[in-house]
Amino acid sequence: MTDATLRDVARASGCSVATVSRVLAGTRPVGAETAARVRAAAAQLGYRPNHAARALRSRATGTVGLVLPQITNPFYPTLVRALTHALHADGRAVLLADCDDDPEAEAEHIADLLARRVDALLVIPAHERRSREAVAAAAARVPLVLMDRGCGTGVADSVAVDNATGMALVLDHLAAVGRRRVCFIGAAGTASAAAERRLAYESGAAALDPGAPDRVLLGDFSAEWGRAAVDELWESGPRDGEPGPEGEPGRCAPSGGGLPDALVCANDLIAIGALQRLQQRGVDVPGQVAVTGFDDIPMATLSAPGITTVRQPVSELAAEAARLLRRPPQDGTRPHRTIRLAPDLVVRESSAARRQSGHSARNEQDMTAQQDVTAQQDMTAQQDLTAKVEEAQ
Amino acid sequence: MTDATLRDVARASGCSVATVSRVLAGTRPVGAETAARVRAAAAQLGYRPNHAARALRSRATGTVGLVLPQITNPFYPTLVRALTHALHADGRAVLLADCDDDPEAEAEHIADLLARRVDALLVIPAHERRSREAVAAAAARVPLVLMDRGCGTGVADSVAVDNATGMALVLDHLAAVGRRRVCFIGAAGTASAAAERRLAYESGAAALDPGAPDRVLLGDFSAEWGRAAVDELWESGPRDGEPGPEGEPGRCAPSGGGLPDALVCANDLIAIGALQRLQQRGVDVPGQVAVTGFDDIPMATLSAPGITTVRQPVSELAAEAARLLRRPPQDGTRPHRTIRLAPDLVVRESSAARRQSGHSARNEQDMTAQQDVTAQQDMTAQQDLTAKVEEAQ
DNA sequence: AGAGTTTCGGAAAACGTTATCAGCAGCCGC
DNA sequence: GCGGCTGCTGATAACGTTTTCCGAAACTCT
């Protein structure tokens, strides 16, 4: 009943364990006839190699660890799916660890995975600063690729979306549909996604409309904050220049008179919260205000109106990560590779042109997911689609 | 540089490998002083046991496989999170496999996990019928627990929500807020969730209002179907008794005159789609029609109005699954255990009382997630909360 | 005090692979 | 025809644990 081993196959095929191992693993050429006999015997016995023994002997488990802050973060399931598929295609299994946003739990999980002798690690760090130590220690022992978020600088290879390009796509699009008074609802802190999107917005907005005051509110990456930000804007907005009623994390309330006609949100959750509160306040979206998000989580399709957003190239990100892990084992202190992939803009109803011209009917009739249209934005962005910035660092 | 082994610790502490193994694994009592010496040496060398070797020798990897249809199904991330936490608490690691809803891929993944010598399997089957064979084969080799969905009958232990109780909670609640013309938007097919919720609705609705014709539309578990079902209802409804315009999977269009004042959806995705289409048609929710869902996926909180739904007891489900896996290895053909846990009702705005009386202000003001109220419904349901139906089968 | 019993520690045999080493054909080239 | 290849194969030693099996003390009990 207990499964067949190499010895059994060897006995059945009348040759030695060594030969059987060789033909099955294909490590060295072996006589055609013997090989056939061995293969037949193996098939007949239903032989399945014992990964534990193989791992012990060859010091490679064919397993990679995937460590992430919270699988319930709505952007991660799609990413996890893409990653597992990419890795399984390479014949590797995936050990999953969810850290509950706690850097200490993260460190423990990383240590446990190392003890389990994973061949490599894929980490979405829970904290920009506090994850650094554990990640660096792990990176010294196995190939390690950071995904989605950063973790200090020069720690390991990393793969992420090009936030700057994404934000530029959004701003170009808003300009194209005639929005002039744009406001950014972002996230505070030094986490890479927060900081990069914030910076990209600032430089992009300045470039588009050099005279305009920058309108930037900072909170966190939650729908709750999206709602709060809208409240802050709509309660302080009319009375020009007055600071928001609450001493919230916002850096500065919009000044320069009047309310914004577009809200650029740092991710989709914020956008959903903002959209919801706008509707509760009777503000027409996109009639009066356009709303955009970032990431293209599934919910972005499901809200009404659907949310215009930046779609992360998840499959490509996963493929790059898998590719990096295939590379030769960290030879000493080689400079780390940082790969940034350009995203797509997905235009939905939340940013339709203000004065509805010809095709406005779609708004009422058939706004299903199928009608999403991936923008063929300006050429530079399209060209960048497959470009990777590979900078030594 | 390569990590310390038992031999190293033995050498450093001046005793034999066997003793070191014993004190570290705690398999047999060992002299206090020696133990201390060993522990010191181990700590000093930073010894970490090699799981591969341990697995080889003791024929147990401390690893369980988690096989699911699609991690992107919005209900699964929370479940996966709970499962990984429960299993990690038991010191087990989790190998994740996503099948893309394909039973063949599922069979492959199961085979691969078995070859990797997982101690046990947690499977959410991709298909009620077509997953059966692979699951049964696997269950013969390792402890296996089915989750969320069924897979034929008598195949393995299983843990799932009590769909009947959940549906009853919904119907009681709707009756309590004065809804009379209830309609069910469900999913066709034999999958357990679809069938059980459908049946529970039918018996519950009949019990509540014996004279009423049953109003049941069947499609699949998608927002798209929720939208389509509303169209079907609102286009055929006014003209009484006429079958829906499309020969869709619906079993029967609502008859008996007039439109429903409550839509009971078989899951949250359907509810979200239905809600969205109702709003596009200018139907007031919950003013004219109440909408309810099932599962309590994150999106149910985020829509406006928030969707009243049945919250699956994910932590408890995960705990039960982990407990079942701890049990003695399948001793022969012991009857399988089927565990059903009763869910909670989460009342949100989508099912508020029709004539808004005193507390209707909440609808405009502050409908945040914090205001969700877990219904203290009728006593029977509450009592059932922790009850497990453990039926031999 | 001697026989039984417990307690602690070591030597060594697994576990199922892969990798190393060597043997044994046959073949080439001088 | 003989040293040196080349191609295939078999023994056998790892890999790092856990787990028997045993011996040597140290106690316990008549």
Side-chain angles (χ1 to χ4, degrees):
Chain A
M1 197 60 239
T2 158
D3 357 52
T5 109
L6 272 192
R7 287 194 46 177
D8 303 328
V9 180
R11 198 151 29 208
S13 64
C15 57
S16 76
V17 246
T19 332
V20 178
S21 171
R22 288 197 266 260
V23 35
L24 261 30
T27 46
R28 266 183 28 185
V30 61
E33 189 213 355
T34 346
R37 261 205 339 272
V38 166
R39 255 183 277 273
Q44 207 263 322
L45 290 175
Y47 169 77
R48 307 225 114 219
N50 183 324
H51 274 70
R54 183 179 299 208
L56 174 59
R57 180 63 234 230
S58 54
R59 345 184 61 65
T61 52
T63 297
V64 326
L66 174 54
V67 182
L68 41 72
Q70 277 254 49
I71 181 79
T72 50
N73 177 323
F75 170 59
Y76 292 148
T78 28
L79 185 57
V80 168
R81 196 173 82 95
L83 285 171
T84 55
H85 288 171
L87 292 167
H88 285 148
D90 283 0
R92 299 157 174 280
V94 176
L95 277 174
L96 179 72
D98 178 305
C99 306
D100 248 339
D101 277 327
D102 175 8
E104 296 187 26
E106 181 180 56
E108 277 179 41
H109 279 135
I110 290 179
D112 179 62
L113 290 171
L114 287 178
R116 291 196 129 87
R117 296 305 196 273
V118 291
D119 293 342
L121 278 174
L122 241 35
V123 180
I124 307 180
H127 192 279
E128 179 82 16
R129 198 183 64 252
R130 293 167 57 204
S131 293
R132 192 170 202 281
E133 188 182 359
V135 167
R141 301 173 36 106
V142 297
L144 186 152
V145 173
L146 293 169
M147 299 215 59
D148 190 50
R149 310 183 182 178
C151 176
T153 176
V155 175
D157 292 344
S158 82
V159 176
V161 69
D162 183 342
N163 288 303
T165 300
M167 201 45 86
L169 288 174
V170 167
L171 289 174
D172 287 356
H173 165 66
L174 288 177
V177 294
R179 306 286 169 166
R180 313 299 311 172
R181 303 188 52 77
V182 181
C183 175
F184 182 69
I185 306 183
T190 58
S192 59
E196 291 177 13
R197 293 176 192 178
R198 189 170 67 225
L199 262 56
Y201 171 83
E202 285 169 354
S203 74
L208 273 182
D209 190 0
D214 56 350
R215 286 170 279 254
V216 172
L217 271 69
L218 299 182
D220 58 24
F221 280 125
S222 72
E224 187 52 49
W225 160 238
R227 285 188 282 261
V230 165
D231 284 341
E232 211 169 300
L233 281 170
W234 260 255
E235 274 157 28
S236 78
R239 286 158 297 181
D240 188 16
E242 178 182 321
E246 313 175 25
E248 277 290 36
R251 197 162 79 201
C252 73
S255 58
L259 287 164
D261 62 2
L263 297 181
V264 174
C265 302
N267 80 349
D268 289 341
L269 276 181
I270 299 177
I272 286 170
L275 170 60
Q276 185 176 325
R277 186 50 52 93
L278 286 172
Q279 290 176 330
Q280 285 167 10
R281 287 181 167 271
V283 178
D284 180 30
V285 177
Q288 294 173 258
V289 179
V291 173
T292 69
F294 208 114
D295 291 344
D296 194 29
I297 65 177
M299 277 181 244
T301 307
L302 255 27
S303 75
I307 293 178
T308 292
T309 189
V310 175
R311 173 178 299 156
Q312 296 213 29
V314 263
S315 307
E316 291 82 356
L317 291 170
E320 281 302 319
R323 192 178 65 87
L324 285 187
L325 291 187
R326 275 195 295 269
R327 284 288 187 80
Q330 312 279 83
D331 51 336
T333 173
R334 169 181 51 63
H336 297 295
R337 293 161 289 184
T338 300
I339 294 187
R340 293 308 188 118
L341 298 186
D344 286 341
L345 184 69
V346 181
V347 177
R348 298 203 180 90
E349 301 82 19
S350 74
S351 70
R354 194 197 312 240
R355 299 284 167 224
Q356 279 113 322
S357 45
H359 52 288
S360 71
R362 116 148 49 127
N363 215 15
E364 269 302 26
Q365 188 51 21
D366 236 324
M367 42 164 129
T368 69
Q370 281 84 337
Q371 294 220 348
D372 291 350
V373 47
T374 296
Q376 298 286 345
Q377 280 296 106
D378 64 57
M379 296 250 270
T380 30
Q382 273 310 96
Q383 285 176 340
D384 275 346
L385 182 67
T386 54
K388 302 151 207 155
V389 183
E390 187 145 349
E391 62 186 32
Q393 196 283 350
Chain B
M1 196 59 239
T2 159
D3 2 48
T5 106
L6 274 193
R7 288 194 44 176
D8 302 327
V9 180
R11 199 152 27 210
S13 63
C15 56
S16 78
V17 240
T19 347
V20 177
S21 170
R22 289 197 265 259
V23 35
L24 260 32
T27 48
R28 254 181 41 182
V30 59
E33 188 212 357
T34 353
R37 261 206 338 272
V38 166
R39 255 184 276 274
Q44 206 263 324
L45 288 176
Y47 169 78
R48 306 227 115 219
N50 183 325
H51 274 70
R54 179 178 300 197
L56 175 58
R57 177 64 235 234
S58 52
R59 344 184 61 67
T61 52
T63 297
V64 327
L66 174 53
V67 183
L68 41 71
Q70 277 253 51
I71 181 80
T72 50
N73 176 322
F75 171 59
Y76 292 148
T78 28
L79 185 57
V80 168
R81 197 174 81 98
L83 285 171
T84 54
H85 288 171
L87 292 167
H88 284 148
D90 284 0
R92 299 158 174 279
V94 177
L95 277 173
L96 179 71
D98 178 305
C99 305
D100 247 340
D101 277 327
D102 174 8
E104 295 188 26
E106 182 181 56
E108 276 179 42
H109 279 135
I110 290 179
D112 178 61
L113 290 171
L114 287 178
R116 292 195 129 87
R117 296 302 196 276
V118 290
D119 292 342
L121 279 174
L122 242 34
V123 180
I124 305 179
H127 193 279
E128 179 82 16
R129 198 183 65 251
R130 293 166 58 204
S131 293
R132 193 171 200 282
E133 188 182 358
V135 167
R141 301 172 36 105
V142 296
L144 186 152
V145 173
L146 292 170
M147 300 214 59
D148 191 48
R149 308 183 184 180
C151 174
T153 175
V155 176
D157 292 344
S158 83
V159 176
V161 70
D162 183 343
N163 287 303
T165 299
M167 203 44 87
L169 287 174
V170 168
L171 290 173
D172 286 357
H173 165 67
L174 289 177
V177 294
R179 305 289 170 165
R180 314 298 314 173
R181 303 189 52 78
V182 181
C183 175
F184 182 69
I185 306 182
T190 57
S192 59
E196 291 176 12
R197 293 176 192 179
R198 189 170 68 225
L199 263 56
Y201 172 83
E202 285 169 354
S203 73
L208 272 183
D209 190 0
D214 56 351
R215 285 170 279 254
V216 172
L217 272 70
L218 300 182
D220 58 25
F221 281 126
S222 73
E224 187 51 50
W225 160 239
R227 284 187 283 259
V230 165
D231 284 342
E232 212 169 299
L233 280 170
W234 260 255
E235 273 157 29
S236 77
R239 289 158 297 182
D240 189 16
E242 177 182 321
E246 312 175 25
E248 276 289 36
R251 197 163 79 200
C252 74
S255 58
L259 288 165
D261 63 2
L263 296 180
V264 174
C265 302
N267 79 350
D268 289 340
L269 276 181
I270 300 179
I272 286 170
L275 169 60
Q276 186 176 326
R277 185 50 52 91
L278 286 173
Q279 291 176 329
Q280 285 167 10
R281 287 179 169 274
V283 178
D284 180 29
V285 178
Q288 294 173 258
V289 179
V291 172
T292 69
F294 207 112
D295 291 344
D296 194 28
I297 65 178
M299 276 180 247
T301 306
L302 255 28
S303 75
I307 293 178
T308 292
T309 190
V310 175
R311 173 178 298 158
Q312 296 212 29
V314 264
S315 307
E316 291 82 358
L317 290 170
E320 280 302 318
R323 193 178 65 86
L324 286 186
L325 291 186
R326 275 195 295 267
R327 283 286 186 83
Q330 312 280 83
D331 50 337
T333 174
R334 170 180 51 64
H336 297 296
R337 293 162 287 182
T338 300
I339 294 187
R340 294 308 187 116
L341 298 186
D344 286 341
L345 183 69
V346 181
V347 177
R348 297 202 181 90
E349 300 82 20
S350 73
S351 70
R354 195 198 310 242
R355 300 284 168 225
Q356 280 114 320
S357 44
H359 53 289
S360 71
R362 113 148 54 126
N363 214 15
E364 270 301 27
Q365 188 51 19
D366 235 326
M367 41 164 126
T368 68
Q370 281 83 336
Q371 293 221 347
D372 292 349
V373 48
T374 296
Q376 299 285 346
Q377 279 297 109
D378 64 57
M379 295 251 271
T380 31
Q382 274 310 97
Q383 284 176 340
D384 275 345
L385 181 68
T386 55
K388 301 151 206 158
V389 183
E390 186 145 349
E391 61 186 30
Q393 196 283 351

